[in-house]
Amino acid sequence: MLDDAPQPLVQVRDLKMHFPIYAGLLRRRTGAVKAVDGVSFDIMAGETLGLVGESGCGKSTVGRALLRLYAPTAGTVVIDGEDVATLSPEALRKKRPTMQMVFQDPQASLNPRMTLAAIIGEPLDEHTGWNAEKKLARVYELMDQVGLNRAFAGRYPHEFSGGQRQRIGIARALALNPKFIVCDEPIAALDVSIQAQVVNLLEDLQERLGLTYLFISHDLSMVRHIADRVAVMYLGQIAELSPRDALYARPLHPYAQALLSAVPEADPAREATRRRIILQGDVPSPANPPLGCNFCTRCPKVFDRCRVEEPKLTEVEPGRFVACHLVTDNMTGGHRPAGAEAPEHKQQGEVT
Amino acid sequence: MPDGAMPVLDVRGLKTVFRTRGGEIHAVNSVSFSLRAGELLGVVGESGSGKSVTMMSLIGLLPSPPAEVRAGQVMLGGRDLLHIPPHELQDVRGAKVGFVFQDPMTSLNPVFTVGSQIMEPLMRHMGLTRAQAADRAAELLALVGIPDAKKRLKSYPHQFSGGMRQRVMIAIALACDPDVLIADEPTTALDVTIQAQIIELVKDLRQKLGMAIIWITHDLGVIAGIADRVMVMYGGQVVEQAPVAELFANPRHPYTRALLKTIPSLTGERGARLQTIEGQPPIMMGEPVACPFRARCAHRFDRCDAENPARRPVDGAPVGQGHDVACHWNPEGA
């Protein structure tokens, strides 16, 4: 990775993805599921940005909207200098080779009637005018890269195990020499002993080919291993975006704190002494998010202002962005010690 | 946990075979374990290791054919569950042994209310009237932390979230005050913050009700926080068994050791590369005559190909009571 002024390869600004809800006799539009509601971040060239959150928080939708597998409702997604969100269909098609995706379920994302060579070679059919010989040579090269035996080229997906299928999916994503790959829960469907194999492969490829990843996952310990920076999403918005080590050492947003404290650790001694923040209740519906901060219904440190005013994602320390009144107040207040418990009711009066 | 107490459940030499067109798959091979009163036994293994099939075999939940429980003994309350007539087994399921499955959506019936599904075992096994069962069902829902329990009895499963549904499943499993609760990956389908809620709930219920629990999972982190004793399964066999602290501090089987190294940690030093276990878990075709882990093992030698290792004690205590391992490799030479 370059140390001097890394350039952002991906710049996302105020991305919104709302899915309309139709109801009633006339199927009128009655509302929208705000799956992603105003998300902004950059991904530097050669970097891995981890995107974590619970199911339904919109992390996969972000990944899909970035590659314009969904047409975003609003916002811009600049990838390598072009705004993908507004490209014309023809220009978008030309853009596709630079941005690819690895899907969660390798079983569902591979066509069962196509051979391995046909699956990996399909992007080449679509985007290059190469002859069969040249294409096969490239398919073999890709199979070598992801550690699949060339002898398997004529086999079908069902003949492979989950880990091998994920390698097929990765080879397909690499076929057109992309710069940017969205990995949407690439290891969630795999056994623990196989997960490490796939993660190591992704890291090797990144190093060798200079790839940039958006790594979407709910596995916080794996994200700590693979990501350089981590964005924590909750209910369609980014709660905290921080460099990896800073986030895991000292999460600032109350949701990030709760999420990290809930991850069980394979160490009985530490498990016995850890203090867990147990969140009450469930995530509200994204069709009807709460007023103010979207985490205010479950936040253990909630105070009055959280229920009326939506916090903005603000840089509170160099490179650390947090959307929380408690944290930003501490920062602007200056002399208030960071991490102090909220003086529940006084807080608001003091600031104004 | 009370040592030397009579085990609530004692399983000896359980063998389950699936007959398929390609041959016989030996999914469970001579599995033995016992569960003491009030104890939480964690069962860890990858998919296909036989952990779920073992538990389903115990109470006759596997469809036969293709499954066949070929040998073994399952003692619960002085009776061998493998040799009692089907109608008596029905009296055991749900009454003496409660079961919580992985996916709460597919294990609840979508066309019946939650209330009627909790009341069913109460009326079937305990002979309560409809009104008594309804009262008890509301109590149970409140016990598992569902607010407004009385009203929620009339709701259907789709009106609950994933975590709430799993609470309902637990309420059903607990309805008849079972001696043993078997939880098969109960939190795998849930988010971490919801998983933390369910784990707290089970810890709490254990203290209140004192039943013995078998908790099946592939997540070593969950096991570390909740279990008293851990049984590691691989290729249909128990490869290692130990008290939880002992297993994590002093793993003996090469598989357990490798497994503990493959998971990245949330704290501490961050390794440059993850350790991997190369290769795939085996498909157990035919009677196993060699160690099932040999193809992926770093310590393999001739004997591993010739003989399937039996469980042997590590710390002197008899197999099944202290720390035991099924491996020929013995670094200490003891």
Side-chain angles (χ1 to χ4, degrees):
Chain A
M1 235 164 288
L2 295 172
D3 276 329
D4 38 306
Q7 291 301 307
L9 180 76
V10 180
Q11 287 173 290
V12 182
R13 290 294 170 268
D14 208 23
L15 181 68
K16 286 187 184 165
M17 187 66 235
H18 295 180
F19 297 99
I21 305 169
Y22 300 100
L25 192 60
L26 301 170
R27 313 311 293 170
R28 282 213 179 93
R29 189 176 158 155
T30 52
V33 174
K34 294 172 182 163
V36 177
D37 202 22
V39 161
S40 304
F41 58 86
D42 287 349
I43 310 177
M44 303 299 157
E47 178 188 53
T48 300
L49 178 72
L51 187 57
V52 300
E54 299 180 89
S55 42
C57 74
K59 56 190 192 302
S60 288
T61 309
V62 167
R64 285 164 181 251
L66 244 55
L67 300 188
R68 207 161 142 192
L69 298 183
Y70 297 137
T73 310
T76 60
V77 179
V78 176
I79 298 180
D80 203 17
E82 283 176 287
D83 183 6
V84 175
T86 54
L87 281 181
S88 69
E90 193 44 40
L92 182 65
R93 210 181 109 79
K94 291 214 176 70
K95 186 81 185 167
R96 289 253 175 242
T98 51
M99 44 185 208
Q100 292 290 322
M101 185 143 181
V102 175
F103 295 91
Q104 170 172 356
D105 186 351
Q107 169 89 55
S109 60
L110 302 176
N111 187 331
R113 291 164 186 256
M114 284 165 81
T115 63
L116 203 156
I119 291 170
I120 300 177
E122 197 181 14
L124 302 172
D125 299 339
E126 201 56 33
H127 289 277
T128 68
W130 296 355
N131 60 29
E133 201 184 335
K134 196 171 173 190
K135 272 189 277 198
L136 191 63
R138 175 68 180 147
V139 168
Y140 281 148
E141 190 190 353
L142 288 163
M143 289 176 68
D144 291 345
Q145 275 185 348
V146 299
L148 287 166
N149 191 326
R150 287 185 180 201
F152 297 159
R155 296 201 186 174
Y156 290 87
H158 75 266
E159 298 176 71
F160 295 92
S161 66
Q164 284 173 317
R165 281 193 208 123
Q166 200 53 288
R167 286 173 195 267
I168 301 171
I170 293 170
R172 175 177 60 185
L174 291 175
L176 296 164
N177 284 319
K179 289 183 178 172
F180 174 54
I181 298 183
V182 173
C183 305
D184 187 3
E185 303 258 18
I187 53 165
L190 307 177
D191 267 319
V192 194
S193 75
I194 309 296
Q195 288 186 351
Q197 295 176 7
V198 172
V199 166
N200 280 347
L201 173 66
L202 286 170
E203 286 187 315
D204 289 345
L205 291 168
Q206 179 171 44
E207 203 167 301
R208 213 174 326 143
L209 307 172
L211 298 169
T212 303
Y213 291 142
L214 177 68
F215 191 88
I216 301 170
S217 180
H218 64 268
D219 182 341
L220 283 121
S221 20
M222 200 54 95
V223 166
R224 174 170 186 255
H225 176 82
I226 197 170
D228 300 303
R229 289 188 304 141
V230 181
V232 180
M233 276 190 80
Y234 185 81
L235 204 60
Q237 295 178 346
I238 292 181
E240 174 162 357
L241 172 62
S242 286
R244 176 197 59 225
D245 292 337
L247 177 76
Y248 284 82
R250 189 171 55 92
L252 295 177
H253 194 284
Y255 177 65
Q257 290 166 358
L259 191 64
L260 279 170
S261 88
V263 180
E265 268 197 274
D267 181 346
R270 200 171 314 125
E271 278 291 309
T273 56
R274 260 174 90 191
R275 219 170 53 88
R276 201 153 262 159
I277 305 168
I278 304 283
L279 292 178
Q280 299 304 315
D282 286 303
V283 184
S285 157
N288 189 17
L291 217 62
C293 174
N294 61 7
F295 186 53
C296 71
T297 53
R298 298 172 81 199
C299 183
K301 297 180 179 173
V302 65
F303 58 103
D304 303 345
R305 186 170 157 207
C306 306
R307 298 202 179 83
V308 284
E309 187 188 332
E310 199 181 315
K312 293 267 170 296
L313 194 67
T314 317
E315 187 163 14
V316 293
E317 286 170 27
R320 301 198 69 171
F321 298 84
V322 179
C324 176
H325 292 311
L326 197 61
V327 181
T328 45
D329 279 1
N330 278 338
M331 185 199 56
T332 47
H335 43 265
R336 212 170 297 158
E341 294 294 300
E344 296 253 292
H345 301 294
K346 269 193 268 169
Q347 188 104 14
Q348 212 179 1
E350 257 177 45
V351 171
T352 44
Chain B
M1 291 309 109
D3 263 328
M6 267 290 287
V8 199
L9 175 72
D10 193 53
V11 179
R12 292 280 146 236
L14 187 72
K15 270 186 201 216
T16 304
V17 170
F18 286 92
R19 294 213 190 110
T20 66
R21 264 184 293 175
E24 285 186 343
I25 294 177
H26 288 246
V28 177
N29 192 37
S30 294
V31 166
S32 302
F33 65 92
S34 61
L35 186 69
R36 286 164 229 147
E39 183 181 45
L40 198 149
L41 174 70
V43 182
V44 198
E46 297 179 75
S47 38
S49 63
K51 51 194 194 309
S52 297
V53 176
T54 300
M55 299 312 155
M56 309 261 273
S57 304
L58 300 186
I59 49 171
L61 279 182
L62 291 172
S64 175
E68 184 194 330
V69 179
R70 199 160 273 179
Q73 192 186 38
V74 178
M75 298 303 289
L76 179 88
R79 287 187 303 172
D80 183 354
L81 298 189
L82 296 182
H83 297 104
I84 58 173
H87 69 272
E88 283 184 37
L89 196 57
Q90 275 183 14
D91 291 336
V92 171
R93 278 195 295 253
K96 301 266 177 245
V97 181
F99 223 107
V100 178
F101 296 94
Q102 172 171 349
D103 185 348
M105 190 67 233
T106 48
S107 39
L108 289 171
N109 191 331
V111 300
F112 289 102
T113 61
V114 158
S116 74
Q117 295 184 61
I118 305 177
M119 284 152 64
E120 190 186 334
L122 291 168
M123 297 192 290
R124 164 75 174 73
H125 292 297
M126 304 181 73
L128 299 188
T129 64
R130 182 160 278 280
Q132 286 168 324
D135 286 346
R136 174 84 181 125
E139 270 174 48
L140 283 161
L141 270 193
L143 182 72
V144 296
I146 291 181
D148 218 357
K150 201 139 205 156
K151 237 169 154 185
R152 293 298 258 165
L153 286 178
K154 295 196 186 76
S155 305
Y156 288 87
H158 74 267
Q159 292 168 301
F160 288 82
S161 68
M164 287 295 186
R165 275 184 221 135
Q166 202 56 293
R167 287 172 192 262
V168 172
M169 280 303 294
I170 294 172
I172 296 175
L174 295 179
C176 301
D177 215 355
D179 299 327
V180 179
L181 177 72
I182 302 178
D184 187 356
E185 305 252 12
T187 58
T188 305
L190 307 176
D191 283 313
V192 277
T193 60
I194 308 295
Q195 168 172 291
Q197 291 177 359
I198 297 288
I199 289 176
E200 284 306 307
L201 171 70
V202 170
K203 279 185 182 166
D204 185 42
L205 290 175
R206 234 184 113 191
Q207 276 188 338
K208 273 191 208 149
L209 309 175
M211 73 223 144
I213 301 175
I214 299 175
W215 187 291
I216 305 174
T217 180
H218 63 269
D219 188 334
L220 287 160
V222 171
I223 283 292
I226 198 171
D228 299 313
R229 213 147 46 89
V230 186
M231 185 162 96
V232 182
M233 291 192 70
Y234 188 86
Q237 293 174 211
V238 178
V239 294
E240 186 159 9
Q241 193 266 139
V244 67
E246 167 74 7
L247 185 94
F248 283 86
N250 187 19
R252 284 309 191 84
H253 198 281
Y255 175 65
T256 318
R257 290 178 176 216
L259 202 59
L260 284 169
K261 278 190 197 143
T262 56
I263 37 177
S265 159
L266 207 57
T267 50
E269 209 45 33
R270 180 178 154 273
R273 241 181 114 77
L274 291 177
Q275 301 253 8
T276 61
I277 310 177
E278 290 308 324
Q280 312 289 334
I283 295 164
M284 304 305 294
M285 277 292 178
E287 187 93 28
V289 289
C291 173
F293 188 59
R294 68 186 186 287
R296 305 172 78 188
C297 185
H299 303 285
R300 174 184 184 176
F301 60 106
D302 342 339
R303 200 174 159 199
C304 308
D305 300 320
E307 186 191 335
N308 191 2
R311 287 164 72 183
R312 61 177 170 82
V314 170
D315 55 0
V319 165
Q321 292 181 24
H323 186 173
D324 62 73
V325 64
C327 180
H328 295 309
W329 180 62
N330 194 347
E332 281 80 17

